[in-house]
Amino acid sequence: MQQYDFDEIVPRKGTNCLKHDALERFFNSADALPLWVADMDFKTPDFIVNAIKERAEHEIYGYTFRSDSYYEAVINWMSRRHQWDIKKEWISFSPGVVAGLTYAIESFSKPGDGVIVQPPVYFPFFDSVKGTNRKMIQNPLKMENGRYTFDLEDLKSKIDANTKLLLLCNPQNPGGMVWTREELVALTDICLENNIMIISDEIHSDLIYKGHKHIPLATLSEEVAQNCMVSMAPSKTFNVAGLTSSLVIIPNKRKLAAYERTIGVGHLHMGNIFGTVALEAAYTHGDEWLAQLLDYLWGNYQLLESFIQEKLPRVKVMKPEATYLIWMDFSDYGMKNEELAKFTVEKAGVALNDGGRFGIGGDGFLRLNIGCPRSVLQEALNRLEKAFG
């Protein structure tokens, strides 16, 4: 069995890498350790790189379509990883999950309609709602026993006749929650009763830690399947976000047709050659690499957790059930969001995501990316201790 080296330092500066090369632009510091953007500093696995190289050798990169082997890879991956039996005719394309969410909003609602978001949540959700001239309805998550859960009473109080969609982050970003079946059923029951379609962002669905199980929304029941769209991608899992190739799964034939009309207007349905090749390779050969990645990421989290408990006990860390993004509460230091983020860069030399960007409930939080070699994480923690300790 091949052993993958996640301790290797791979230089990324000078590659137009947003995470490393845009530090000056976003943080006014070119030297901070970048643990912000949600991609990993590990090499894209060799089976993906080799598949891309093989296709690149053909030397003609004209219009292409997705082959039967592509669809088989997706179908088999969903069956192996999530025990979800899907059909080829349910699968469509999106140039990125956020793009798919935005096209879904345009496909399944009209300007002025209400779209529910559940902060603190991945901040592009807000842009997708505002940018399509929909009314944003905020249903903040509530904290129970150290993790977020849905505030269903608040949700019911905010729904009206013009509420058409709910954007679900499943698993949750930034908190790392893997929603339980009971939580999802309670949420979908309310949406079904009020004829609200759910757009489920499941981009982190493969990054699940032991003891937890991701439940694709459409597997809850046939009624839910007919009332939702699921967005997935290999981009976070296999570190290929720059190839902008995602997929959407829509079991409802009429809704699928509406979505494909929307992406067809912009001629966005075809995707790009190398993204297609990467997705097929990832879902065909990725099981062992992913198993080793998850073990390494969990080791990184354990390092962070023990370090924070010992060296920075005023910081509260939300224990992740999924993802390599860690939600950390610095509110005990009494700094406002901008002050906290600035202090972290200038005094600690670490670039993290400002919790305020994630909306209601993000005040006093920072999001840290542990998808990096352990030595880099250790250095970042040492710097945080020096600044905050």
Side-chain angles (χ1 to χ4, degrees), residues 4 11 18-19 32-33 62 66 96 99 137 141 165 208 220 235 240 266 280 318 364 373 377 389:
Y4 295 96
L18 180 66
K19 187 176 184 179
L33 282 180
R66 287 173 282 279
I137 301 170
L141 301 172
L165 300 173
I208 309 296
L220 291 177
S235 53
V240 290
E280 182 176 338
M318 187 170 286
L377 177 60

PDB file of all heavy atoms in Angstrom, residues 4 11 18-19 32-33 62 66 96 99 137 141 165 208 220 235 240 266 280 318 364 373 377 389:
ATOM      1  N   TYR A   4       1.398   8.065   1.699  1.00  0.00           N
ATOM      2  CA  TYR A   4       1.484   9.444   1.236  1.00  0.00           C
ATOM      3  C   TYR A   4       2.136  10.318   2.307  1.00  0.00           C
ATOM      4  O   TYR A   4       1.927  10.118   3.501  1.00  0.00           O
ATOM      5  CB  TYR A   4       0.098   9.957   0.868  1.00  0.00           C
ATOM      6  CG  TYR A   4      -0.505   9.233  -0.314  1.00  0.00           C
ATOM      7  CD1 TYR A   4      -1.377   8.163  -0.125  1.00  0.00           C
ATOM      8  CD2 TYR A   4      -0.169   9.596  -1.615  1.00  0.00           C
ATOM      9  CE1 TYR A   4      -1.919   7.481  -1.218  1.00  0.00           C
ATOM     10  CE2 TYR A   4      -0.700   8.924  -2.706  1.00  0.00           C
ATOM     11  CZ  TYR A   4      -1.581   7.869  -2.500  1.00  0.00           C
ATOM     12  OH  TYR A   4      -2.093   7.197  -3.572  1.00  0.00           O
ATOM     13  N   PRO A  11       6.497  24.362  -1.675  1.00  0.00           N
ATOM     14  CA  PRO A  11       6.471  25.820  -1.870  1.00  0.00           C
ATOM     15  C   PRO A  11       5.361  26.218  -2.849  1.00  0.00           C
ATOM     16  O   PRO A  11       5.276  25.672  -3.950  1.00  0.00           O
ATOM     17  CB  PRO A  11       7.861  26.118  -2.453  1.00  0.00           C
ATOM     18  CG  PRO A  11       8.710  24.956  -2.066  1.00  0.00           C
ATOM     19  CD  PRO A  11       7.786  23.769  -2.073  1.00  0.00           C
ATOM     20  N   LEU A  18      -3.685  32.094  -4.372  1.00  0.00           N
ATOM     21  CA  LEU A  18      -4.434  33.056  -3.565  1.00  0.00           C
ATOM     22  C   LEU A  18      -4.013  32.984  -2.099  1.00  0.00           C
ATOM     23  O   LEU A  18      -3.783  34.008  -1.445  1.00  0.00           O
ATOM     24  CB  LEU A  18      -5.932  32.787  -3.700  1.00  0.00           C
ATOM     25  CG  LEU A  18      -6.858  33.722  -2.910  1.00  0.00           C
ATOM     26  CD1 LEU A  18      -6.777  35.137  -3.455  1.00  0.00           C
ATOM     27  CD2 LEU A  18      -8.303  33.215  -2.968  1.00  0.00           C
ATOM     28  N   LYS A  19      -3.881  31.785  -1.592  1.00  0.00           N
ATOM     29  CA  LYS A  19      -3.610  31.582  -0.165  1.00  0.00           C
ATOM     30  C   LYS A  19      -2.268  32.176   0.253  1.00  0.00           C
ATOM     31  O   LYS A  19      -2.146  32.745   1.342  1.00  0.00           O
ATOM     32  CB  LYS A  19      -3.639  30.085   0.132  1.00  0.00           C
ATOM     33  CG  LYS A  19      -3.545  29.706   1.601  1.00  0.00           C
ATOM     34  CD  LYS A  19      -3.700  28.188   1.728  1.00  0.00           C
ATOM     35  CE  LYS A  19      -3.726  27.734   3.170  1.00  0.00           C
ATOM     36  NZ  LYS A  19      -3.895  26.261   3.244  1.00  0.00           N
ATOM     37  N   ALA A  32       3.149  36.488   6.799  1.00  0.00           N
ATOM     38  CA  ALA A  32       2.317  35.744   7.748  1.00  0.00           C
ATOM     39  C   ALA A  32       2.154  34.289   7.292  1.00  0.00           C
ATOM     40  O   ALA A  32       2.195  33.990   6.090  1.00  0.00           O
ATOM     41  CB  ALA A  32       0.952  36.407   7.885  1.00  0.00           C
ATOM     42  N   LEU A  33       1.985  33.402   8.250  1.00  0.00           N
ATOM     43  CA  LEU A  33       1.668  32.012   7.905  1.00  0.00           C
ATOM     44  C   LEU A  33       0.219  31.961   7.439  1.00  0.00           C
ATOM     45  O   LEU A  33      -0.701  32.323   8.188  1.00  0.00           O
ATOM     46  CB  LEU A  33       1.862  31.100   9.117  1.00  0.00           C
ATOM     47  CG  LEU A  33       3.295  30.706   9.475  1.00  0.00           C
ATOM     48  CD1 LEU A  33       3.286  29.804  10.710  1.00  0.00           C
ATOM     49  CD2 LEU A  33       3.969  29.988   8.313  1.00  0.00           C
ATOM     50  N   GLY A  62      -9.875  20.677 -27.331  1.00  0.00           N
ATOM     51  CA  GLY A  62     -11.111  21.226 -27.864  1.00  0.00           C
ATOM     52  C   GLY A  62     -12.317  20.877 -27.006  1.00  0.00           C
ATOM     53  O   GLY A  62     -12.208  20.375 -25.893  1.00  0.00           O
ATOM     54  N   ARG A  66     -18.694  14.791 -21.047  1.00  0.00           N
ATOM     55  CA  ARG A  66     -18.388  13.869 -19.950  1.00  0.00           C
ATOM     56  C   ARG A  66     -18.797  12.453 -20.359  1.00  0.00           C
ATOM     57  O   ARG A  66     -19.936  12.211 -20.744  1.00  0.00           O
ATOM     58  CB  ARG A  66     -19.099  14.331 -18.674  1.00  0.00           C
ATOM     59  CG  ARG A  66     -18.448  15.583 -18.083  1.00  0.00           C
ATOM     60  CD  ARG A  66     -19.215  16.163 -16.917  1.00  0.00           C
ATOM     61  NE  ARG A  66     -20.379  16.921 -17.338  1.00  0.00           N
ATOM     62  CZ  ARG A  66     -20.336  18.189 -17.769  1.00  0.00           C
ATOM     63  NH1 ARG A  66     -19.176  18.832 -17.859  1.00  0.00           N
ATOM     64  NH2 ARG A  66     -21.437  18.817 -18.114  1.00  0.00           N
ATOM     65  N   GLY A  96     -17.938  25.091  -9.893  1.00  0.00           N
ATOM     66  CA  GLY A  96     -17.774  25.451  -8.486  1.00  0.00           C
ATOM     67  C   GLY A  96     -19.086  25.368  -7.751  1.00  0.00           C
ATOM     68  O   GLY A  96     -20.160  25.632  -8.320  1.00  0.00           O
ATOM     69  N   ALA A  99     -20.978  28.739  -7.421  1.00  0.00           N
ATOM     70  CA  ALA A  99     -21.653  29.060  -8.684  1.00  0.00           C
ATOM     71  C   ALA A  99     -22.944  28.268  -8.813  1.00  0.00           C
ATOM     72  O   ALA A  99     -23.983  28.802  -9.213  1.00  0.00           O
ATOM     73  CB  ALA A  99     -20.718  28.754  -9.858  1.00  0.00           C
ATOM     74  N   ILE A 137     -33.184  35.963   4.451  1.00  0.00           N
ATOM     75  CA  ILE A 137     -33.820  35.673   5.738  1.00  0.00           C
ATOM     76  C   ILE A 137     -32.796  34.940   6.594  1.00  0.00           C
ATOM     77  O   ILE A 137     -32.365  33.839   6.243  1.00  0.00           O
ATOM     78  CB  ILE A 137     -35.078  34.815   5.554  1.00  0.00           C
ATOM     79  CG1 ILE A 137     -36.087  35.532   4.654  1.00  0.00           C
ATOM     80  CG2 ILE A 137     -35.701  34.467   6.912  1.00  0.00           C
ATOM     81  CD1 ILE A 137     -37.245  34.654   4.217  1.00  0.00           C
ATOM     82  N   LEU A 141     -27.952  29.846  13.710  1.00  0.00           N
ATOM     83  CA  LEU A 141     -27.804  28.605  14.459  1.00  0.00           C
ATOM     84  C   LEU A 141     -27.700  28.926  15.947  1.00  0.00           C
ATOM     85  O   LEU A 141     -27.353  30.045  16.333  1.00  0.00           O
ATOM     86  CB  LEU A 141     -26.534  27.868  14.005  1.00  0.00           C
ATOM     87  CG  LEU A 141     -26.470  27.501  12.517  1.00  0.00           C
ATOM     88  CD1 LEU A 141     -25.083  26.959  12.170  1.00  0.00           C
ATOM     89  CD2 LEU A 141     -27.546  26.491  12.154  1.00  0.00           C
ATOM     90  N   LEU A 165     -36.592  29.357  -0.740  1.00  0.00           N
ATOM     91  CA  LEU A 165     -35.411  28.497  -0.694  1.00  0.00           C
ATOM     92  C   LEU A 165     -34.732  28.563   0.669  1.00  0.00           C
ATOM     93  O   LEU A 165     -34.837  29.569   1.382  1.00  0.00           O
ATOM     94  CB  LEU A 165     -34.388  28.915  -1.759  1.00  0.00           C
ATOM     95  CG  LEU A 165     -34.811  28.890  -3.222  1.00  0.00           C
ATOM     96  CD1 LEU A 165     -33.715  29.492  -4.093  1.00  0.00           C
ATOM     97  CD2 LEU A 165     -35.118  27.473  -3.680  1.00  0.00           C
ATOM     98  N   ILE A 208     -15.048  13.545   6.727  1.00  0.00           N
ATOM     99  CA  ILE A 208     -15.799  13.220   7.937  1.00  0.00           C
ATOM    100  C   ILE A 208     -14.909  12.422   8.885  1.00  0.00           C
ATOM    101  O   ILE A 208     -14.303  11.422   8.474  1.00  0.00           O
ATOM    102  CB  ILE A 208     -17.060  12.402   7.594  1.00  0.00           C
ATOM    103  CG1 ILE A 208     -17.887  13.088   6.495  1.00  0.00           C
ATOM    104  CG2 ILE A 208     -17.894  12.169   8.842  1.00  0.00           C
ATOM    105  CD1 ILE A 208     -18.458  14.421   6.859  1.00  0.00           C
ATOM    106  N   LEU A 220     -32.888  11.232   2.730  1.00  0.00           N
ATOM    107  CA  LEU A 220     -33.812  11.192   3.874  1.00  0.00           C
ATOM    108  C   LEU A 220     -35.138  10.547   3.502  1.00  0.00           C
ATOM    109  O   LEU A 220     -35.698   9.763   4.263  1.00  0.00           O
ATOM    110  CB  LEU A 220     -34.059  12.606   4.410  1.00  0.00           C
ATOM    111  CG  LEU A 220     -32.883  13.291   5.098  1.00  0.00           C
ATOM    112  CD1 LEU A 220     -33.276  14.707   5.511  1.00  0.00           C
ATOM    113  CD2 LEU A 220     -32.425  12.501   6.321  1.00  0.00           C
ATOM    114  N   SER A 235     -13.117  19.118  -4.911  1.00  0.00           N
ATOM    115  CA  SER A 235     -12.170  20.227  -4.780  1.00  0.00           C
ATOM    116  C   SER A 235     -11.546  20.339  -3.402  1.00  0.00           C
ATOM    117  O   SER A 235     -10.329  20.496  -3.276  1.00  0.00           O
ATOM    118  CB  SER A 235     -12.849  21.544  -5.175  1.00  0.00           C
ATOM    119  OG  SER A 235     -14.050  21.719  -4.452  1.00  0.00           O
ATOM    120  N   VAL A 240      -8.164  20.235  -5.439  1.00  0.00           N
ATOM    121  CA  VAL A 240      -8.205  20.603  -6.857  1.00  0.00           C
ATOM    122  C   VAL A 240      -9.191  21.754  -7.092  1.00  0.00           C
ATOM    123  O   VAL A 240      -9.825  21.843  -8.140  1.00  0.00           O
ATOM    124  CB  VAL A 240      -8.573  19.383  -7.743  1.00  0.00           C
ATOM    125  CG1 VAL A 240      -7.441  18.384  -7.775  1.00  0.00           C
ATOM    126  CG2 VAL A 240      -9.863  18.706  -7.274  1.00  0.00           C
ATOM    127  N   GLY A 266     -25.589  30.771 -20.082  1.00  0.00           N
ATOM    128  CA  GLY A 266     -24.210  31.264 -20.076  1.00  0.00           C
ATOM    129  C   GLY A 266     -23.224  30.306 -20.703  1.00  0.00           C
ATOM    130  O   GLY A 266     -22.011  30.527 -20.627  1.00  0.00           O
ATOM    131  N   GLU A 280     -12.977  12.502 -12.287  1.00  0.00           N
ATOM    132  CA  GLU A 280     -13.099  11.055 -12.530  1.00  0.00           C
ATOM    133  C   GLU A 280     -11.990  10.277 -11.836  1.00  0.00           C
ATOM    134  O   GLU A 280     -12.230   9.229 -11.222  1.00  0.00           O
ATOM    135  CB  GLU A 280     -13.086  10.781 -14.034  1.00  0.00           C
ATOM    136  CG  GLU A 280     -13.250   9.308 -14.360  1.00  0.00           C
ATOM    137  CD  GLU A 280     -13.338   9.032 -15.852  1.00  0.00           C
ATOM    138  OE1 GLU A 280     -13.680   9.946 -16.634  1.00  0.00           O
ATOM    139  OE2 GLU A 280     -13.059   7.867 -16.244  1.00  0.00           O
ATOM    140  N   MET A 318     -14.117  24.790  18.886  1.00  0.00           N
ATOM    141  CA  MET A 318     -15.248  23.927  18.564  1.00  0.00           C
ATOM    142  C   MET A 318     -14.713  22.645  17.933  1.00  0.00           C
ATOM    143  O   MET A 318     -14.068  22.686  16.886  1.00  0.00           O
ATOM    144  CB  MET A 318     -16.223  24.635  17.622  1.00  0.00           C
ATOM    145  CG  MET A 318     -17.504  23.862  17.383  1.00  0.00           C
ATOM    146  SD  MET A 318     -18.749  24.848  16.503  1.00  0.00           S
ATOM    147  CE  MET A 318     -19.288  25.949  17.812  1.00  0.00           C
ATOM    148  N   GLY A 364     -15.889  37.670  17.525  1.00  0.00           N
ATOM    149  CA  GLY A 364     -14.889  37.137  18.441  1.00  0.00           C
ATOM    150  C   GLY A 364     -14.280  35.813  18.011  1.00  0.00           C
ATOM    151  O   GLY A 364     -13.443  35.261  18.726  1.00  0.00           O
ATOM    152  N   PRO A 373       1.119  20.851   6.496  1.00  0.00           N
ATOM    153  CA  PRO A 373       2.071  20.001   7.216  1.00  0.00           C
ATOM    154  C   PRO A 373       2.096  20.332   8.703  1.00  0.00           C
ATOM    155  O   PRO A 373       1.941  21.493   9.098  1.00  0.00           O
ATOM    156  CB  PRO A 373       3.401  20.334   6.537  1.00  0.00           C
ATOM    157  CG  PRO A 373       3.022  20.738   5.151  1.00  0.00           C
ATOM    158  CD  PRO A 373       1.729  21.479   5.313  1.00  0.00           C
ATOM    159  N   LEU A 377       1.673  23.932  11.168  1.00  0.00           N
ATOM    160  CA  LEU A 377       0.666  24.150  12.204  1.00  0.00           C
ATOM    161  C   LEU A 377       1.331  24.419  13.552  1.00  0.00           C
ATOM    162  O   LEU A 377       0.912  25.311  14.294  1.00  0.00           O
ATOM    163  CB  LEU A 377      -0.261  22.935  12.296  1.00  0.00           C
ATOM    164  CG  LEU A 377      -1.322  22.983  13.397  1.00  0.00           C
ATOM    165  CD1 LEU A 377      -2.254  24.181  13.222  1.00  0.00           C
ATOM    166  CD2 LEU A 377      -2.121  21.683  13.436  1.00  0.00           C
ATOM    167  N   GLY A 389      -0.611  34.572  24.631  1.00  0.00           N
ATOM    168  CA  GLY A 389      -0.404  33.880  25.893  1.00  0.00           C
ATOM    169  C   GLY A 389      -0.193  34.818  27.068  1.00  0.00           C
ATOM    170  O   GLY A 389       0.225  35.958  26.909  1.00  0.00           O
TER     171      GLY A 389
END
